[in-house]
């Protein structure tokens, strides 16, 4: 749904013109999984799939929310009643942003919001972050708050962590707010320093496919929280602020110090090696060499996520195994895991064969048909009109 359609939907709902229309994208993470809440490195890029919001201010302390994608009416909330973990519906994401802005001292007095999104929900492509960021950007502009992209990302993360109750890191919101077209974002999640890394796979005859397994995942589920708690335990046992502080060269010694804490050892090993993989990919891309060399690093990341972090699932493993068996240069799950999507780096000439092989493998296994599309680095959050 485009800007004009969302604007027209706003008028039908609320009987007046919106003050503007904004967009924020979903993201795919090239490399760097479960490192963001360990103060580590990530490398996402924005997708063309976007959440679009038409918004107008209110002065009466009322927030009205509507989604064109759901068969439900307008939700009306009072700002003074907004409270963490009080809302189990989709409205918690935009309402949480308003709550976080007000908690930070920003004078937001209400809004009418009409939303639509093309970011697949539950696919590990940050549909929730796109909703949060588009609302945050709109209110930042309308209320002249003067916040930068990284600051909006921080507030959106707080909304998801505290208001929604999902213990996510900072990557998704920063990617949605700060990515640039034609680039991947090398983000240090400790200090939020950013570097835009050119990524033009098509120029090398390559494609990066996203395979949505159609297995829905949820960040607020207990398994994600367990992994995060295990990482925090590992950092505490090793006497560091975060696992980011364990150098790759010191990994074996750190694992020895953990003794028989086998589960923690696995989590630590993944995070430290995954940070190293991000740095390897950045070095390869910045050197301007053959991006095909990124493929084996992606595959190594999947092995680590499957065997050490244990957040894969049969459908994700089937995508990776099938793609590699049919000529993919590399493949891995992307996102939080327990479902969602995988990415596949492939020669452009092999995309049709790979896609058919994955679809046939899913059919043979009795799985729901996957959704396959090409991922091209797109623009981050912006005002449309």
């Amino acid at each position: 749904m485009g800007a004009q359609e969302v604007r027209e939907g706003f008028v039908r709902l609320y009987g007046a013109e919106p003050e503007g229309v904004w967009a924020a994208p979903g993201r795919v993470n090239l490399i760097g999984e479960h490192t963001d809440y360990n103060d580590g490195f990530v490398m996402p890029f924005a997708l063309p799939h976007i959440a679009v919001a038409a918004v107008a201010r209110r002065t009466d302390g009322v927030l009205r929310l509507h989604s064109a994608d759901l068969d439900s009416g307008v939700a009306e909330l009072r700002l003074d009643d907004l409270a963490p973990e009080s809302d189990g519906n989709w409205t918690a994401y935009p309402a949480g942003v308003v709550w976080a802005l007000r908690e930070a001292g920003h004078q937001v007095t209400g809004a009418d919001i009409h939303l639509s999104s093309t970011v697949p929900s539950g696919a590990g492509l940050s549909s929730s972050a796109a909703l949060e960021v588009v609302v945050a950007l709109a209110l930042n502009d309308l209320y002249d708050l003067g916040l930068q992209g990284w600051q909006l990302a921080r507030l959106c993360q707080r909304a998801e962590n505290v208001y929604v109750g999902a213990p996510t890191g900072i990557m998704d919101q920063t990617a949605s707010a700060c990515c640039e077209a034609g680039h991947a974002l090398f983000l240090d999640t400790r200090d939020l320093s950013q570097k835009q890394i050119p990524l033009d796979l098509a120029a090398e005859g390559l494609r990066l496919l996203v395979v949505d397994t159609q297995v829905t995942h949820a960040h607020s589920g207990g398994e994600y929280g367990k992994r995060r708690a295990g990482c925090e335990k590992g950092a505490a046992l090793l006497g560091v602020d975060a696992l980011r502080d364990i150098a790759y060269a010191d990994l074996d010694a750190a694992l020895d110090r953990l003794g028989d804490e086998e589960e923690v050892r696995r989590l630590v090993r993944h995070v430290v090696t995954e940070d190293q993989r991000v740095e390897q990919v950045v070095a390869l891309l910045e050197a301007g060499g053959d991006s095909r060399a990124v493929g084996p690093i992606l595959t190594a990341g999947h092995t680590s996520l499957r065997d050490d972090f244990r957040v894969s699932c049969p459908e994700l493993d089937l995508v990776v195994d099938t793609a590699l068996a049919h000529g993919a240069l590399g493949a891995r799950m992307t996102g939080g895991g327990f479902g969602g999507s995988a990415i596949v780096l492939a020669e452009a000439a092999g995309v049709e064969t790979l896609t058919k092989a994955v679809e046939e493998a899913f059919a043979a296994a009795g799985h729901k048909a996957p959704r396959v599309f090409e991922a091209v680095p797109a623009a981050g959050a912006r005002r449309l009109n």
Side-chain angles (χ1 to χ4, degrees), residues 246-376:
I246 305 299
Y248 180 72
D250 299 332
L251 176 58
D252 288 342
L255 295 177
D256 287 343
R257 287 166 57 199
L258 291 171
D260 60 359
E261 292 276 0
E262 183 54 36
E263 184 175 354
V264 175
R265 284 165 55 89
R266 288 190 289 97
L267 298 178
V268 170
R269 182 165 51 231
H270 167 72
V271 172
V272 175
T273 58
E274 187 78 347
D275 274 336
Q276 172 74 357
R277 284 186 283 272
V278 177
E279 293 186 292
Q280 285 180 294
V281 171
V282 171
L284 281 168
L285 294 178
E286 285 196 312
D290 190 340
S291 295
R292 287 164 179 83
V294 170
I297 303 173
L298 302 184
T299 304
H302 184 77
T303 301
S304 182
L305 287 160
R306 181 193 65 206
D307 298 344
D308 276 342
F309 225 72
R310 300 188 183 181
V311 291
S312 190
C313 67
E315 292 85 354
L316 288 167
D317 293 341
L318 183 60
V319 173
V320 171
D321 293 344
T322 303
L324 293 173
H326 288 80
L329 299 164
R332 75 172 189 90
M333 57 153 283
T334 186
F338 312 108
S341 299
I343 55 173
V344 178
L345 182 65
E347 302 284 355
V351 165
E352 187 174 342
T353 298
L354 273 172
T355 301
K356 183 179 179 182
V358 170
E359 290 172 343
E360 289 178 348
F362 266 57
H367 300 320
K368 186 176 180 180
R371 178 173 181 244
V372 184
F373 60 92
E374 183 182 353
V376 178

Side-chain angles (χ1 to χ4, degrees), residues 57-299:
R57 287 168 290 182
R58 298 179 66 96
T59 59
D60 58 357
V62 170
L63 175 65
R64 294 198 291 182
L65 300 166
H66 183 266
S67 171
D69 309 318
L70 300 172
D71 186 19
S72 59
V74 175
E76 184 168 314
L77 307 169
R78 292 207 58 82
L79 300 190
D80 289 343
D81 295 336
L82 298 181
E85 299 191 52
S86 62
D87 185 350
N89 300 310
W90 73 271
T91 50
Y93 296 97
V97 170
V98 176
W99 171 84
L101 285 167
R102 284 164 55 87
E103 282 283 300
H106 301 293
Q107 299 302 309
V108 176
T109 57
D112 286 338
I113 301 175
H114 176 55
L115 291 150
S116 182
S117 179
T118 59
V119 186
S121 179
L125 303 175
S126 298
S127 59
S128 60
L131 280 183
E132 292 159 358
V133 170
V134 74
V135 170
L137 180 62
L139 296 177
N140 183 53
D141 287 354
L142 291 176
Y143 283 97
D144 197 23
L145 303 181
L147 299 171
Q148 297 180 51
W150 68 269
Q151 293 172 304
L152 294 177
R154 277 284 194 214
L155 286 163
C156 290
Q157 183 199 17
R158 177 165 167 75
E160 188 148 349
N161 288 173
V162 180
Y163 195 90
V164 178
T168 55
I170 190 66
M171 173 180 64
D172 297 350
Q173 292 85 0
T174 306
S176 185
C178 300
C179 278
E180 295 180 3
H183 294 76
L185 178 68
F186 176 38
L187 173 67
D188 182 334
T189 65
R190 169 162 283 170
D191 61 12
L192 295 190
S193 59
Q194 304 175 15
K195 192 170 188 180
Q196 302 287 344
I197 308 295
L199 183 65
D200 186 1
L201 297 174
E204 299 183 59
L206 301 175
R207 298 291 185 272
L208 189 73
L209 303 179
V210 174
V211 182
D212 176 3
T213 64
Q214 307 274 5
V215 178
T216 302
H217 80 149
H219 271 155
S220 53
E223 290 300 317
Y224 186 97
K226 287 179 185 176
R227 302 305 188 280
R228 183 164 186 165
C231 290
E232 291 168 355
K233 180 179 179 180
L237 290 170
L238 293 168
V240 294
D241 291 335
L243 295 183
R244 146 73 174 277
D245 296 312
I246 305 299
Y248 180 72
D250 299 332
L251 176 58
D252 288 342
L255 295 177
D256 287 343
R257 287 166 57 199
L258 291 171
D260 60 359
E261 292 276 0
E262 183 54 36
E263 184 175 354
V264 175
R265 284 165 55 89
R266 288 190 289 97
L267 298 178
V268 170
R269 182 165 51 231
H270 167 72
V271 172
V272 175
T273 58
E274 187 78 347
D275 274 336
Q276 172 74 357
R277 284 186 283 272
V278 177
E279 293 186 292
Q280 285 180 294
V281 171
V282 171
L284 281 168
L285 294 178
E286 285 196 312
D290 190 340
S291 295
R292 287 164 179 83
V294 170
I297 303 173
L298 302 184
T299 304

